[in-house]
């Protein structure tokens, strides 16, 4: 049995969407938990075994998998027939891993620094900035529907969710905006958001 620890309207929402995309609803138990929110609401949930009380967290037969990209890749490999991640040995697996690593090592730090209004020459040299990240996405999407071509992958799910969650940081680029909309409007993401809405309503 697999268990996903999930807080509504958080980074784990995209993992709920992925479970729908992969057809794994019958194999993954979703365990709703609370987390500490940026506005001071919520709090750590003792049911959540994440060492920092965060989500998402996946547990598979006692093995703990944390971080969105690791969980997304792990789940995609459990359902290879869904085609959301090239398999080991495939030539296009390298670009997928590059996008996932770029998200963790570049885009997310840049987004956090932008939100905090922090700037420093060392940070700019290491991560560049949001304009450079925008250029990287725009280059990939100029002639493609998704980051790796015509097919939706876990890289699209993870990276596009950044801008659908933080629309005020949406780049002023029609190719990127169209891509984010395509990812957000997929039935699996809509199902995940509806599930979250039900969870939120149940706590009111």
């Amino acid at each position: 049995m697999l268990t996903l620890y999930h807080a509504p309207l958080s980074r784990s929402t995209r993992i709920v969407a992925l479970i729908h995309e992969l057809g794994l609803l019958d194999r993954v138990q979703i365990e709703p938990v609370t987390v500490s929110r940026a506005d001071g609401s919520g709090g750590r949930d003792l049911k959540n075994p994440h060492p920092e009380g965060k989500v998402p967290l996946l547990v598979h037969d006692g093995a703990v998998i944390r971080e969105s990209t690791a969980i997304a890749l792990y789940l995609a490999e459990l359902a290879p027939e869904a085609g959301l991640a090239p398999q080991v040995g495939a030539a296009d697996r390298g670009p997928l891993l590059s996008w996932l690593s770029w998200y963790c090592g570049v885009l997310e730090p840049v987004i956090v620094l932008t939100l905090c209004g922090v700037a420093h020459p060392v940070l700019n040299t290491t991560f560049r900035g949001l304009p450079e990240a925008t250029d990287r996405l725009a280059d990939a999407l100029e002639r493609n529907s998704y980051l790796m071509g015509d097919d939706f992958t876990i890289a699209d799910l993870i990276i596009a969710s950044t801008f659908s969650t933080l629309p005020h940081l949406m780049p002023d680029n029609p190719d990127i905006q169209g891509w984010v909309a395509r990812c957000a409007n997929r039935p699996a993401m809509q199902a995940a958001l509806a599930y979250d809405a039900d969870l939120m309503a149940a706590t009111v």
Side-chain angles (χ1 to χ4, degrees):
M1 172 60 72
L2 296 103
T3 302
L4 175 72
Y5 291 86
H6 164 63
L9 302 181
S10 72
R11 283 182 173 88
S12 59
T13 298
R14 57 194 175 187
I15 304 302
V16 174
L18 178 59
I19 291 169
H20 281 269
E21 291 274 7
L22 296 172
L24 292 177
L25 284 170
D26 60 337
R27 294 183 59 187
V28 182
Q29 174 186 341
I30 300 175
E31 182 68 41
V33 295
T34 60
V35 292
S36 298
R37 305 279 183 172
D39 62 2
S41 63
R44 184 164 187 163
D45 195 321
L46 296 180
K47 292 184 299 182
N48 184 1
H50 192 291
E52 298 160 10
K54 297 180 179 180
V55 292
L57 184 79
L58 183 70
V59 178
H60 187 186
D61 292 338
V64 175
I65 305 100
R66 61 184 188 273
E67 304 303 330
S68 292
T69 52
I71 292 171
L73 188 59
Y74 190 87
L75 288 173
E77 291 175 347
L78 292 180
E81 65 280 0
L84 295 190
Q87 296 301 291
V88 174
D92 52 354
R93 185 174 174 84
L96 175 80
L97 298 178
S98 295
W99 278 117
L100 295 177
S101 297
W102 178 79
Y103 167 79
C104 294
V106 177
L107 182 61
E108 187 156 276
V110 164
I111 292 293
V112 171
L113 292 168
T114 300
L115 290 172
C116 295
V118 176
H120 189 279
V122 173
L123 296 174
N124 293 337
T125 300
T126 302
F127 301 115
R128 307 299 188 267
L130 198 54
E132 289 83 2
T134 297
D135 289 344
R136 182 71 188 86
L137 292 170
D139 182 63
L141 295 165
E142 184 178 7
R143 291 174 296 276
N144 298 309
S145 297
Y146 297 103
L147 293 174
M148 291 179 53
D150 294 330
D151 297 326
F152 177 83
T153 70
I154 57 174
D156 298 290
L157 182 145
I158 293 291
I159 298 172
S161 68
T162 300
F163 299 105
S164 55
T165 303
L166 299 168
H168 61 290
L169 294 182
M170 178 78 75
D172 185 18
N173 178 288
D175 293 330
I176 296 175
Q177 292 170 358
W179 164 69
V180 171
R182 282 191 295 278
C183 295
N185 290 329
R186 290 178 70 86
M189 182 58 77
Q190 291 300 305
L193 292 172
Y195 175 71
D196 278 4
D198 289 342
L199 287 179
M200 298 292 285
T203 61
V204 174

